[in-house]
Every structure is written in C-alpha cells, then in structure tokens.
Amino acid sequence: MSYRIAVRALCEFSAKAGDLDLRFTPSPSAQEGIAGHRVVSERRGERYEREVALAGHYAHLEVRGRADGYDPDANRLEEIKTHRGDLARQPANQRALHWAQAQVYGHLLCLARGLDQLDVTLVYFDIASQRETPLSQRCSASELREVFETHCQRFLAWAQQELAHRRRRDAALVALNFPFADFRAGQRELAEAVYKATHTRRWLLLQAPTGIGKTLGTLFPMLKAMPGEPLDRVFFLTARNTGQQLALEALEQLGARPPGVSAACAEAPAPAGSSAGEATPALPLRVLTLTAREKACEHPDKACHGEACPLAAGFYDRLPAARSAAAERGWLDRAGLRTVALEHQVCPYYLGQEMSRWADVVVADVNYYFDLHAQLYALTLQQQWQVGILVDEAHNLVERGRGMYTATLDHAAFRRLMPQLPAPLKRPLARVATAWQDLAEQLDEAGTTRDYRVLERLPGKLIAALQHAVSRIVEYQSEQPIALDGELQRFSFEAQHLCRVAETFGNHSLCDLTRQPPRGRQRRAGAMLTLRNVVPAPFLAARFAAAHGGTLFSATLSPQGYFRDLLGVPDAAPWLALGSPFAAGQLEVRIATRLSTRYAHREASLEPLVARIAAGFHQRRGNYLAFFSSFAYLEQVADRLAQRHPEVPQWRQAARMDDAARTSFLARFESGGAGVGFAVLGGIFGEGIDLPGERLIGAFVATLGLPQVNPVNEQMRERLQALLGSGYDYAYFYPGMQKVIQAAGRVIRTASDRGVIELLDDRFAQPRAQALLPAWWPEPRLD
Ligand code: SF4
C-alpha cells in the first residue's frame, strides 16, 4: 500500500524548524495569491509552462504536486510566492520551507524530463508593489535527488505508522457494533439515512426530532462508512459548545476514549506523565476538538513568535515529539491536547492546528469548515481528503453563515485608535480616516440626516486605503510585536476581514453605513461600515461540494425550501423528516386566540399574560419556562407576575450571563421544584438545554420570535424578495417560528415526559403558523 502525499505537505512536515513566528503574516488572501500567480506567469514568454504536474516515488511514498512554472528556454523552474511587507523580515524557517518545496519540484522535474541540472528559482511577488524578487540556485540533478530523499526519509517512519494506524482504525470500524442492545425509536432509520447519503456521496438534510439520539445516531453510521468509501476524515461540526460535548460523549460510548484517560479530562488537565495512551481504546480513533485561539492560548498578553512567547520559541524543533505523543494519546479533547502541549512546551492552539492534519474525527465549531478562512476546508482541498461531515443543529447555519461572510468596521473605535498610532502608521491610516469621513458625510445629504443607508457600490476609495493600511500594519508588526488583544491588532484583523469580504462582494450581500453620533471632542458624526451577507448559499455551496458527503441535521429544518435556498446545499441532496419517538398524548398545546404580543399591544397584554401563566402554574404545579421577545418585555411581565401572584416562584435570565449565572439559572429547574424561569426567545435557554422529566413540565411562549422591524431587516427582506421571491417569510416569519419550536422543544425530552405548551399570541392560530408546528404535536386547543 503506498502513501500519497503532496509536495507541500511533505515539506511542511519535514522542512520546518525553529520558532513559530506569525510576524510576517497575514499572507495574502487566496484571491490575491491566485491573481499574483497570474500576473507573474503572464509576464513570461510563450513557451513558459504553467502548473506543471509532477510525481515521484520513494520507498512506498508517492509524492505529487504542481510546480508553478517552467521556462524551458532558460531551463528554470519557478516557485511563485506572493507576500506583503518587507521580504527581509521573512523568518528564515519560512524561507527554508519555500526552498524545500522548490527543490523537491526541481527533483521531480529533472526526473520527468531527464535533466541533469536546473535553475531553481523562488519568485517572491509583492502584492502591493507588484514587484518580483527572484532568488535562484543552480542545482545538479543529483543534488536535487539528495534533497528529495532527505525529506522523504524524514517522513517515511511517520508514513509507516500512519498506514498502520489507518489499517487498525479501519479494521476496528468494520467490526464496530452499535453500543446499545437496541436503537431508540427512529434512530435506526436516522442511521440508515446518514449511511446511505454518505455511501452515495450526497448531502442529506435531516429533520429529526428530540429524543431520537441524533448525535450517536449520525456518528455511528458515518464511522461505519469510513473504511468502505473510504473516508480520510470525519468532521463533526456544531454551532454551540454543548453539541461538542455531546459528540465527545457519543464517541466515548463507541469506545474511542482510551480507558486511561478519564472523563474528567474534558474539564481538567490530566496528571503529568499521562499524555500517552495508558491503555488501548476499544476503537483506535484519533479524536480532536478544536478550540479558538483566545481560549487555548496560554499567554494571551504575548504575541505569537519566539521572542515573545516561550511556547512559540523552538516550536517546530519540539513539534515532532509533541506530534508523536499526541498521535499516541489519540483522545485530544481540549484538556488532553493542553496536557501534551505543555509536556512538550509547545503552544496548545498551534499543536491543535497541526493535529487537525492527523486526526480521524475532528469536533469543531462550524466556522472551522464553512467560514472564509476555514482551516478544515483549506486542508480538505490541499490534501485532497475525502471527508464526511456532520453538522449538528444545522438550522443555525443560516445565521452563522451570514455572520461568517459579513464584515463590520467600527468608525468610533477607529477614531479612538488614531491618536495612539505609532508614527510609521499615521500616514496610511490618515488616508483611511479621510476616505471614511467622506463616506460618513454621505449620511447627511440634501439637508437631511439619515441613520442608515445602503450603498449601491462598494466604497472603492476607502477599501483601497484599507488595503494599503493593512500592508503597512503588517510591515510594522514584523518589526514591533503587537499584543494579540490590542486595539491596533483588532482593527488590523477586522480591516483584513473586510477587505477579503469585499473581494467577493455581490448581490448576495449589502454594503451599508450606520450613523455613529459624535462623541467627546468630535464635531462630526462617523459611520459604521458593514458588508452584510444576506444569502450565504454562494459561499457555502463550495464547501458542500468539497466534501465526499454529509448530513445537516436539526429538529427544525422546515420549510426545506428556505434552507435549500439560503444554504446552497446541492440540488440532489434529499430532505428527510423523521417521526418523533414521542406520542401526541404526552403533550397539550394551547393557543391564546385573544391575546396579542405585538409591540403596540404590549401594555395591554401584561394582565392577560400574567393571568395565563399563573393559571397554568396553579393547574399543575411544577417548573415552567416563559419566553419573551426582549429583556424589557420579560421584565415587565415578570414584575407584574410578582405583584399579582407573589406565590409563584420566579427567576429571570439577565443580559450577558456568565457560565456560573447560566448554571445557577438552570439549577433552579430541580425535579420536584416549582416556579417559572423567564427567558428571552432565541437566547441561551431557547435551545441546546436538556431538562427532562419533572425538571420542566411546560413552556409559555409569548412571542412569534419575529426579528425586529428595523432598517437593516427591512433591507434584508427586500433583498430576499428580489433574489428568492420570499422576503417576509425568509427575513421574519420562518426564523421566528424556528425559535418558537426550538424553545417549545425543551418541554418533552423523554418518552415518559408529560407537559404543556402555551402559545400566547393570536397569530399562532393562523394556518400558516400551525403548518410549521411539529407533525407529532396534538391538535392545539384554541382558547
Ligand atoms: S500560547 Fe498564545 S501567544 Fe503563545 S504562541 Fe500560543 S497562541 Fe500565541
């Protein structure tokens, strides 16, 4: 069995040494890189060969790749690298990596063409100045062969253990049994649907109700499909951290956690010396959770390079041992990864990035695959992996997807930053300031002041100034470390993101200005600039297409047209709704037909709402959740209930609750307890919480969850109407009803639960609202 590896991956493995150093980053965007390559190759002669496909073998390694260009007249192979900033600042180990790649291509070219020598050239192309800096070496074929063989030898032992691991893994997956004697009701159908979709290389939209055991029911068939397809990797992607924990629990049930690694490791580091797997797991899978840099960083006050951070100094020198230890441990949840990283004195965040190349199952937030800079997506393309993907709570992908392709720049924060700028940055950022202020003035036109305005076109002058400023900041950063959490760094990241989003601007997005009133000594108002994605489908479609197959699953994926239109799943993707394991007799649904929670009727609604909540509570004492559209409304109703019915215990969600406050809110829902927890619909208690049995026996939903009518949402509605013909439903109605169903779904969690859902607004009685209620719910009682 041969092991296939790309030239780039081979060199990244074998040629990196020394410090981790991000001072010469960010590198140009993918689009800038492609454009840069095109500019350089268009400058070459007619006989110049582009993208030369090459391959070679060493022992059982098969090394493949495409050299950027070959000029047969000059007998020169070129490896083109785009960059920003002063090349003299490029870390030596990055340069060494580039040489390694060029020389390996050089060997493969000599081999293919029978050359006995070659000019190997690195062409550095500066994105800003469009200038080339060529660096050349004349190499003999034997010198290049030696380089190639050295890199292959360094990789060979790793490749052998990778092949052995894969054989072990696949054999164990073939023999893997479902960990329980029986599937839950509906779970077998779910598992079969996921397996079939993966086997037919398709995506599946799967609406599966609570109680089916979705996490295990999707992971099990995906893992079973791994050896046969074959799949290189499985990504389990979630929109919330709670989903990640459930995935780890399911993987533990399947036997992937080694016995020596205790469940407590999910929260706390394992004892020193315990990083290597003490015992072999029943299922030899490498499981990795990816954590955001802010959470994984051990030195948040430092910058990511060897002179500032001890875990970046010598990172690549210690990486091979850390990588081997991590691979041996296999179970790399956050605590496990941290333990290995600290034992080997390397950064846990960057060790996690490295291990995402070698893990079998990666559990991560959806942004690691779907966003603009998504690492797992980039690896999938680069390494030509066959990946199977599971997206949990996929209804969130519409909003999350929009967020990934939206960029905002805060003018007020920028103006605060200006006086503190270091001297070399004053001029480039002054250009930004001028262009931005000119733009802000556009909100005051013809004697009228507007708070919000959609621009017909991108503000070219400001974007150009921002691009220039970003280059200057990167150059400055290569000389002066900027703290990761500093204002300048934040602005730099946000500006880079905006410039990248601007490159892909189209009718799927809006460009808008929001007025920011003058503060302090400022005389003129500013303007927040937002490139706002409305339809993420054009971006996400490429991500779906890059996977072997996958399943988007959620309890609320209706109506299917809404999700198809907005997410861009392939047309061939089937949509399947599974029945609930619960019976209609477990639930009572009531709709208050004479109650309106519309904004204009808020005051009048207080007394009837309080009366309904108190009556429901007295009818059956127990724990209830009551959902409202805003904190203000919640407070009004809760205050009124306290006045009129002090005998009803109550507790309230507050804005920005930390973990402790959240836990204590949920702790009030004790079995045998009684009271009403007030919460905001669409907030942290509206989905993703599990209060089975007597912990929760009912929910009052006093809102349709409709997003607020405001200028931004109105623009979204108009754009959705123009593009997809469903403005109101897509902007307001469907997202609102999904939140309602998610929140109401907290009530019945097991086959023995009994509960009531009170929908407290006359609009719930409309047929179009009732059509969206889960099919297994009983006929609502209208009163
Ligand atoms: S520990 Fe923090 S500062 Fe150090 S390299 Fe890692 S992320 Fe950067």
Side-chain angles (χ1 to χ4, degrees), residues 20 293 297-300 302-304 309 311-312 347-350 484:
L20 180 90
R293 185 160 61 167
C297 177
E298 291 287 319
H299 297 282
K302 298 188 167 63
C304 299
C309 176
L311 300 181
C347 166
Y349 173 73
Y350 288 102
L484 199 62

Side-chain angles (χ1 to χ4, degrees), residues 602 605-611 613 626 628 631-644 650 652 678 702:
R602 288 274 163 91
S605 72
L606 298 180
E607 285 296 334
L609 276 176
V610 161
I613 293 171
F628 298 85
F631 283 104
Y633 198 18
L634 175 160
E635 291 291 333
Q636 279 182 303
V637 179
D639 284 349
R640 190 66 64 97
L641 182 72
Q643 264 175 24
R644 298 278 188 266
Q650 60 161 270
R652 305 177 190 186
F678 282 75

Side-chain angles (χ1 to χ4, degrees), residues 111-416:
L111 201 66
R113 309 275 168 113
L115 305 174
D116 53 16
Q117 62 172 9
L118 183 68
D119 263 357
V120 177
T121 303
L122 282 177
V123 180
Y124 284 104
F125 179 74
D126 187 330
I127 291 291
S129 67
Q130 304 271 294
R131 245 195 340 258
E132 293 178 32
T133 308
L135 306 174
S136 277
Q137 291 178 347
R138 161 108 346 178
C139 303
S140 70
S142 61
E143 285 166 339
L144 292 172
R145 172 179 292 111
E146 208 172 303
V147 171
F148 172 75
E149 290 182 354
T150 303
H151 288 297
C152 287
Q153 276 160 12
R154 284 185 198 153
F155 186 67
L156 204 57
W158 181 263
Q160 274 160 349
Q161 66 84 32
E162 280 299 286
L163 285 172
H165 167 72
R166 182 137 178 175
R167 275 194 293 270
R168 257 196 330 275
R169 177 197 88 177
D170 286 354
L173 289 173
V174 168
L176 181 69
N177 290 319
F178 194 67
F180 299 105
D182 287 315
F183 286 89
R184 289 192 206 171
Q187 200 178 28
R188 181 184 291 277
E189 204 183 341
L190 169 105
E192 284 172 359
V194 172
Y195 186 86
K196 192 171 163 201
T198 311
H199 187 54
T200 53
R201 303 181 69 103
R202 281 196 280 190
W203 277 88
L204 168 68
L205 291 149
L206 186 68
Q207 180 169 283
T210 308
I212 266 186
K214 290 193 280 279
T215 309
L216 186 61
T218 52
L219 263 169
F220 175 70
M222 185 60 92
L223 292 174
K224 286 297 288 179
M226 244 181 145
E229 294 310 307
L231 296 179
D232 297 299
R233 304 284 184 267
V234 168
F235 300 152
F236 190 98
L237 306 175
T238 69
R240 290 171 182 255
N241 284 344
T242 44
Q244 296 191 10
Q245 196 50 43
L246 290 174
L248 291 178
E249 283 165 22
L251 287 160
E252 189 178 356
Q253 287 167 340
L254 289 164
R257 188 197 288 269
V261 179
S262 73
C265 283
E267 298 303 328
S274 65
S275 68
E278 287 85 346
T280 311
L283 182 60
L285 269 191
R286 288 189 200 138
V287 174
L288 170 73
T289 54
L290 288 175
T291 308
R293 185 160 61 167
E294 307 81 77
K295 288 189 180 157
C297 177
E298 291 287 319
H299 297 282
D301 56 328
K302 298 188 167 63
C304 299
H305 63 82
E307 286 159 36
C309 176
L311 300 181
F315 177 89
Y316 291 110
D317 301 331
R318 292 190 292 280
L319 181 61
R323 178 168 49 210
S324 294
E328 196 183 336
R329 182 185 180 96
W331 185 264
L332 298 169
D333 59 358
R334 185 171 159 192
L337 192 68
R338 179 171 181 263
T339 302
V340 177
L342 296 188
E343 276 178 6
H344 291 269
Q345 280 299 290
V346 294
C347 166
Y349 173 73
Y350 288 102
L351 179 62
Q353 304 254 300
E354 172 66 20
M355 293 315 295
S356 61
R357 295 166 179 267
W358 312 110
D360 302 305
V361 178
V362 181
V363 179
D365 186 273
V366 286
N367 69 354
Y368 282 91
Y369 187 77
F370 286 103
D371 89 3
L372 197 51
H373 322 276
Q375 177 203 346
L376 293 177
Y377 173 62
L379 277 173
T380 300
L381 296 184
Q382 261 172 33
Q383 314 279 347
Q384 298 178 5
W385 281 339
Q386 296 288 314
V387 298
I389 299 182
L390 298 169
V391 184
D392 188 14
E393 302 201 57
H395 60 280
N396 287 305
L397 198 53
V398 172
E399 261 326 289
R400 290 294 308 277
R402 281 183 180 139
M404 293 171 202
Y405 297 93
T406 291
T408 296
L409 272 188
D410 183 341
H411 203 177
F414 174 75
R415 296 207 286 189
R416 276 199 307 275

Side-chain angles (χ1 to χ4, degrees), residues 55-69:
H57 289 85
Y58 181 84
H60 57 265
L61 286 185
E62 184 186 342
V63 182
R64 290 180 165 273
R66 285 177 183 275
D68 287 332

